Amino acid sequence: MGKNVVILGSQWGDEGKGKVVDLLTDQVDTVVRFQGGHNAGHTLVINGKKTVLRLIPSGILHDGVMCIIGNGVVLSPEAFLTEVKELESQGVEVRSKLRISSACTLILPYHIAIDQAREAKLGNQAIGTTGRGIGPAYEDKIARRALKLSDLVDIKLFAEKLKEVMAYHNFQLTQYYGVEALDEQKVLEETLAMREVLLPLMADAPELLNEQRIAGKNILFEGAQGTFLDIDHGTYPFVTSSNTTAGGTVTGSGFGPLFLDYVLGITKAYVTRVGSGPFPTELFDEVGQGLAERGHEFGSNTGRARRCGWFDAVSMRRAVYINSISGLCITKLDVLDGLETIKICTGYKLDGEEIINVPNDVEILKRCEPIYEELSGWSESTFGITDYDQLPENAKNYLRRIEQIIDAPIDIISTGPDRSQTIILRHPFETL
């Protein structure tokens, strides 16, 4: 009987999901992306070689693994083909083991134009999007005017739909944002030029996944971004435009919820965030700068600097119950090496009162001050350790304290960027 495991970020993204997916893919038959777009950047380091994937599931580097891009993903044909060519230039076979849901919404040039024009108009109040058209594409999907991958089958019908939607978006661009309209014919020709590559990869993803389940295959669902960037459960409006939490797995892939066996939450040993929005434990001192430097905290996909702070157990408790997390993977433990004192946020102070839950209102969250518990750090290096017993005693104390506060087990510990630099205490596919 196969096992079905979800991997997702339990902070604000950039937790190291790509490495963990790649690590566990040794025991899976299928890897599925179920939300987001090419705003996600999953970095894999294998035998010292670095690969960044944006749209294609991280299992693509493994022979014999089927990769599926689910209906919850918004697909930029241009970005997708660029990524395919990058992988193929490295000798990676892509097309024979990759399928795309026919229901995927397409990101087209007008989505990017709207995204960038909107951020420019917002100025200092900008959300901090990647400007790659993700949000506007999801808007079209919800408004039922999106163009899907399946629309490319009928060229005439595709052209008619494109004409209608571009009239709408060009009106926005020129009349509200004050920028130039896009050329409808150019967009049509450029998109149709990619049709011959895209259509052979199109599939009925729910049916394909059901066949895999019945055949007893192990399936891994790969999330993008993180829990508190979820459109419903995140720090709205400073969020992404999809459901990044565990519920998004089923709606974004067409896989039944009762078939899921385990949810692995990925979290750094500290916290980072990219872009705008509240961040209660953010550090503005030399400690925060040190975390950023040692952790190389720059986005793999965007290059943007990440904000750094102490571990926030308040938000992590919420991530655990929102996602029904079975176990955690703590990444970048080695970045804390050498610190005399390490802090864990165990509560917030709001207008003089102590609270232990995350406020739903982002304006209230902005007023929250962290309440810290201090633990002794360690001077020894944890980099590359693969045996839990070899960790410094204070590092073990730190991990045990996190487990106690958030009421969830730590099943995996990452001590370096390479997939071999990992401590596996309980394997998601072996402990079910």
Side-chain angles (χ1 to χ4, degrees):
M1 182 177 178
K3 305 298 182 184
N4 308 304
V5 172
V6 180
I7 290 183
L8 49 79
S10 49
Q11 296 170 320
W12 279 293
D14 306 308
E15 300 96 346
K17 297 178 289 294
K19 168 191 167 171
V20 183
V21 171
D22 182 65
L23 173 72
L24 300 184
T25 300
D26 286 339
Q27 298 197 28
V28 307
D29 302 286
T30 304
V31 179
V32 187
R33 271 285 305 273
F34 57 87
Q35 47 77 219
H38 63 302
N39 53 341
H42 289 179
T43 303
L44 314 178
V45 179
I46 304 169
N47 297 324
K49 185 177 180 180
K50 179 179 176 180
T51 301
V52 178
L53 299 172
R54 303 167 190 85
L55 272 168
I56 297 175
S58 298
I60 199 68
L61 300 181
H62 292 253
D63 293 333
V65 174
M66 172 64 69
C67 291
I68 299 174
I69 297 176
N71 58 274
V73 174
V74 284
L75 183 83
S76 163
E78 182 179 6
F80 172 74
L81 293 184
T82 297
E83 192 166 330
V84 169
K85 291 175 183 177
E86 288 175 355
L87 289 168
E88 290 179 339
S89 70
Q90 299 172 29
V92 177
E93 172 55 37
V94 176
R95 305 183 200 205
S96 65
K97 52 184 182 179
L98 176 66
R99 294 295 177 266
I100 308 171
S101 170
S102 58
C104 271
T105 293
L106 299 179
I107 297 177
L108 294 171
Y110 48 83
H111 294 125
I112 300 170
I114 290 286
D115 202 357
Q116 294 177 356
R118 179 179 296 158
E119 285 287 275
K121 188 177 182 67
L122 286 171
N124 293 334
Q125 300 300 314
I127 300 299
T129 75
T130 58
R132 296 179 179 180
I134 310 298
Y138 276 115
E139 289 174 31
D140 275 2
K141 177 180 179 179
I142 297 302
R144 295 167 293 184
R145 58 173 172 260
L147 289 169
K148 304 280 189 170
L149 178 60
S150 58
D151 287 322
L152 284 171
V153 173
D154 187 327
I155 294 177
K156 181 180 179 181
L157 185 59
F158 180 85
E160 291 174 358
K161 289 183 176 181
L162 181 69
K163 181 181 182 65
E164 183 177 347
V165 75
M166 282 200 67
Y168 172 80
H169 284 302
N170 274 335
F171 182 84
Q172 279 194 81
L173 288 169
T174 58
Q175 302 305 308
Y176 184 72
Y177 293 112
V179 297
E180 291 186 7
L182 272 64
D183 186 325
E184 176 198 324
Q185 187 62 31
K186 182 181 179 182
V187 172
L188 176 63
E189 292 174 357
E190 289 177 347
T191 306
L192 293 180
M194 297 179 274
R195 179 175 176 270
E196 291 184 5
V197 177
L198 293 170
L199 289 184
L201 303 178
M202 187 172 71
D204 181 342
E207 179 62 26
L208 185 55
L209 285 170
N210 192 50
E211 291 172 358
Q212 296 272 299
R213 181 186 65 82
I214 292 173
K217 304 294 186 181
N218 285 343
I219 305 174
L220 186 61
F221 295 85
E222 177 181 10
Q225 288 90 38
T227 293
F228 295 104
L229 292 177
D230 185 277
I231 187 66
D232 291 304
H233 300 289
T235 50
Y236 188 91
F238 303 99
V239 293
T240 192
S241 299
S242 60
N243 287 115
T244 60
T245 44
T249 307
V250 296
T251 56
S253 67
F255 196 74
L258 294 183
F259 299 141
L260 298 175
D261 298 298
Y262 181 105
V263 179
L264 180 66
I266 315 298
T267 175
K268 285 176 182 169
Y270 49 102
V271 183
T272 64
R273 177 166 198 171
V274 171
S276 306
F279 184 176
T281 66
E282 184 172 9
L283 294 169
F284 300 95
D285 56 12
E286 59 185 19
V287 175
Q289 184 178 350
L291 292 176
E293 291 174 354
R294 291 192 301 277
H296 306 290
E297 296 298 354
F298 296 91
S300 60
N301 196 14
T302 63
R304 293 189 292 178
R306 298 174 185 143
R307 302 151 63 190
C308 296
W310 293 118
F311 189 87
D312 188 341
V314 183
S315 64
M316 187 56 58
R317 276 196 302 262
R318 189 173 183 86
V320 168
Y321 63 72
I322 285 176
N323 294 296
S324 62
I325 286 175
S326 311
L328 288 175
C329 170
I330 300 287
T331 64
K332 292 196 171 183
L333 180 66
D334 54 294
V335 175
L336 299 182
D337 293 352
L339 292 174
E340 290 186 15
T341 301
I342 298 173
K343 298 180 181 181
I344 299 175
C345 174
T346 58
Y348 299 145
K349 184 173 289 187
L350 175 63
D351 301 333
E353 299 290 329
E354 182 176 340
I355 62 173
I356 58 172
N357 296 309
V358 181
N360 283 320
D361 190 318
V362 71
E363 296 303 322
I364 295 176
L365 184 58
K366 288 178 181 178
R367 305 205 313 268
C368 289
E369 299 175 11
I371 298 172
Y372 287 120
E373 179 178 313
E374 294 191 5
L375 288 81
S376 297
W378 55 90
S379 58
E380 307 95 319
S381 173
T382 62
F383 185 79
I385 290 179
T386 57
D387 182 352
Y388 181 80
D389 292 334
Q390 298 301 312
L391 288 176
E393 195 59 36
N394 283 347
K396 294 178 187 176
N397 291 337
Y398 178 66
L399 296 172
R400 282 193 289 262
R401 186 60 183 137
I402 288 175
E403 288 181 316
Q404 291 169 357
I405 298 172
I406 67 172
D407 194 26
I410 294 172
D411 287 352
I412 301 174
I413 303 163
S414 174
T415 57
D418 197 279
R419 65 182 175 192
S420 65
Q421 296 168 323
T422 309
I423 300 169
I424 300 180
L425 301 175
R426 287 171 290 274
H427 197 293
F429 282 100
E430 296 173 357
T431 57
L432 302 175

